[in-house]
Amino acid sequence: MQQVKFGTDIYIGKDALTKLNDFSNERICIVTDKFMVESGLIEYVTTNINDSNDHQVFTDIVPDPTIENVVSGVEKLKEFKPSIMIALGGGSAIDAAKAIKLMGVKLEFIQNVKLIIIPTTSGTGSEVTDFSVITNKKENLKYPLVDTDLQPDMAILDSRLVESVPPTITADTGMDVLTHALEAYVSTEATDFSDALAEKAVELIFEYLERAYVNGKDSEAREKVHYASCLAGLAFNQVSLGLCHGIAHTVGGKLHLAHGRINGILLPSIIQYNSNENQRALERYALLAKKQGLSNSKGKVGVRSLTNRVIELRSKLNMPANFIEAGFTKADVAPYLSQISEQALLDPTTKTNPKAPTQEDVRQIVSKLF
Ligand code: NAD
């Protein structure tokens, strides 16, 4: 038996933020980063919070939030005791808010706090997932926490908030969306429900991501990519991810490269690895290629068409094809290769990869990209 769960209420469209007007006499804590305040983007939120509410802003979130970041957020929570938390930002602010709330509840500092997510990047899908990725700086490790209590209550998708995302981050986050959808599609747990979500996400990314990258003010493209991100999040929240994320989390802890860029580097190699000697994965990738109008062929030719489309998109987004192009050398990864191979297998997202990898498989995939 598998559960199909959609635990988050989603509001979409240009007036979606007015949903915040529904709240009165609440204590609202907004978790965000300094950029949201300096750029004025936070006003999209604060202007929709009516005066009967008391609100405070916690702006200390850093990219790839750390355990320390979460601990200081929990302190803030303990003092302010909010009844609503709003996360405004990219995956980093969202994941931090989710972890802060989880810890606050477990430590009994707060109870019954509603968590509302307003994403300002189109990438992680974290607004609808029960995942949160937190970095342990001392050990250079990224931990994906997976807990049903991390599931947000509400997500508000207003694509005006992503129009200021610079092209490089648009590319990185968009490639993260594509990776979520493709990993969900071949996950060992994939169902017709997750397939429907993943297929639509892939279609929207192939059609609109390049447009959003070339012109960030293209509101139609921004909206479609924003929705693709959420759809891919809904897909992988049902059936989890795969080896690409397993490796990306461990490499990201060591090399400090944007999460989506690491996925973009790994993705073609992972497709090839998964479809080699795994009939189910091969057929699934080929089916997806067919549904996207990339190929009419079954089997390896279909997989090749899909891989080529990913490589073509990555190149149009001026993204690196390997870690050398991303500015690293073999010497940067050499001390960590054993640890990466070991930890990628332990990462919870690797469990649903269509093929069970060995440490040697991971070592070879990563080494070839340096
Ligand atoms: P991010 O949140 O780290 O943001 C990247 C940068 O973009 C930051 O400097 C931020 O200030 C800036 N930014 C955000 N919104 C902006 C806007 N509208 N205009 C201009 N700049 C803006 O990046 P991300 O890719 O959204 O999130 C990455 C994090 O999410 C990583 O830690 C990754 O591991 C995690 N992640 C989580 C999940 C999940 O399911 N929880 C899934 C994938 C990735």
Side-chain angles (χ1 to χ4, degrees):
M1 183 174 68
Q2 275 174 275
Q3 185 188 14
V4 179
K5 55 176 174 162
F6 297 101
T8 304
D9 291 337
I10 304 167
Y11 293 85
I12 60 172
K14 303 246 181 298
D15 57 349
L17 281 164
T18 59
K19 181 71 194 159
L20 296 173
N21 279 316
D22 286 1
F23 300 109
S24 299
N25 305 311
E26 303 280 1
R27 295 177 67 73
I28 302 177
C29 175
I30 303 173
V31 178
T32 188
D33 64 21
K34 292 196 170 51
F35 173 79
M36 292 298 141
V37 178
E38 283 156 15
S39 64
L41 281 174
I42 196 165
E43 285 166 28
Y44 278 92
V45 174
T46 49
T47 52
N48 280 294
I49 295 177
N50 73 49
D51 290 344
S52 71
N53 300 289
D54 187 4
H55 80 265
Q56 280 199 0
V57 186
F58 180 64
T59 58
D60 291 353
I61 304 305
V62 292
D64 296 330
T66 57
I67 295 172
E68 293 75 14
N69 229 198
V70 174
V71 170
S72 71
V74 173
E75 283 304 313
K76 178 97 179 166
L77 210 69
K78 193 176 162 188
E79 277 166 36
F80 184 58
K81 297 215 183 303
S83 53
I84 293 179
M85 285 174 72
I86 296 179
L88 173 74
S92 295
I94 299 171
D95 283 5
K98 287 162 82 172
I100 291 168
K101 182 192 159 188
L102 186 74
M103 269 187 76
V105 171
K106 290 213 187 288
L107 294 170
E108 298 182 358
F109 295 153
I110 47 165
Q111 297 168 333
N112 303 325
V113 174
K114 192 184 264 298
L115 181 59
I116 301 174
I117 310 287
I118 306 171
T120 65
T121 60
S122 308
T124 67
S126 186
E127 66 272 17
V128 290
T129 72
D130 50 23
F131 289 64
S132 164
V133 184
I134 301 299
T135 298
N136 178 337
K137 252 186 156 176
K138 280 191 201 120
E139 292 181 32
N140 284 332
L141 275 178
K142 277 179 117 176
Y143 287 115
L145 309 173
V146 190
D147 191 317
T148 47
D149 288 342
L150 288 166
Q151 184 81 41
D153 299 287
M154 187 189 291
I156 301 180
L157 306 184
D158 182 338
S159 55
R160 289 173 304 171
L161 289 168
V162 292
E163 287 187 7
S164 54
V165 175
T168 324
I169 299 178
T170 302
D172 293 341
T173 47
M175 199 49 86
D176 196 19
V177 177
L178 185 61
T179 310
H180 292 155
L182 290 181
E183 296 219 285
Y185 205 68
V186 295
S187 157
T188 52
E189 301 284 308
T191 65
D192 286 340
F193 294 83
S194 60
D195 284 358
L197 296 159
E199 281 166 11
K200 188 67 187 178
V202 172
E203 179 193 316
L204 293 176
I205 287 296
F206 281 160
E207 194 168 345
Y208 292 102
L209 179 58
E210 194 188 335
R211 263 174 61 180
Y213 171 77
V214 171
N215 175 14
K217 300 286 174 214
D218 180 336
S219 56
E220 185 191 26
R222 284 294 197 189
E223 185 173 73
K224 297 292 185 188
V225 175
H226 211 39
Y227 293 170
S229 171
C230 187
L231 289 163
L234 290 167
F236 85 78
N237 201 41
Q238 312 279 329
V239 298
S240 192
L241 294 162
L243 181 59
C244 195
H245 270 78
I247 300 179
H249 289 148
T250 59
V251 170
K254 313 287 176 226
L255 298 187
H256 306 295
L257 186 61
H259 172 74
R261 211 169 313 166
I262 302 175
N263 280 332
I265 291 170
L266 291 167
L267 191 54
S269 308
I270 298 291
I271 296 174
Q272 289 308 313
Y273 168 76
N274 282 342
S275 53
N276 188 20
E277 294 174 13
N278 185 301
Q279 194 59 25
R280 178 184 162 274
L282 182 134
E283 283 172 10
R284 300 234 83 209
Y285 287 128
L287 176 67
L288 191 59
K290 192 172 172 199
K291 285 183 185 258
Q292 300 296 329
L294 301 172
S295 159
N296 261 329
S297 305
K298 288 185 175 167
K300 284 187 182 158
V301 178
V303 179
R304 181 40 66 193
S305 317
L306 181 68
T307 313
N308 287 345
R309 180 69 182 99
V310 173
I311 292 172
E312 179 197 41
L313 177 63
R314 186 177 68 184
S315 136
K316 289 205 164 135
L317 303 176
N318 297 306
M319 295 180 79
N322 54 52
F323 290 104
I324 304 292
E325 284 184 23
F328 295 94
T329 65
K330 242 186 172 46
D332 292 321
V333 80
Y336 302 121
L337 212 45
S338 297
Q339 226 186 338
I340 288 172
S341 328
E342 215 173 288
Q343 281 161 1
L345 301 196
L346 298 175
D347 191 281
T349 58
T350 302
K351 271 191 212 136
T352 42
N353 196 63
K355 237 167 106 174
T358 62
Q359 286 192 27
E360 186 49 31
D361 292 338
V362 176
R363 181 184 279 271
Q364 280 194 24
I365 290 168
V366 175
S367 301
K368 277 188 192 149
L369 293 165
F370 277 89

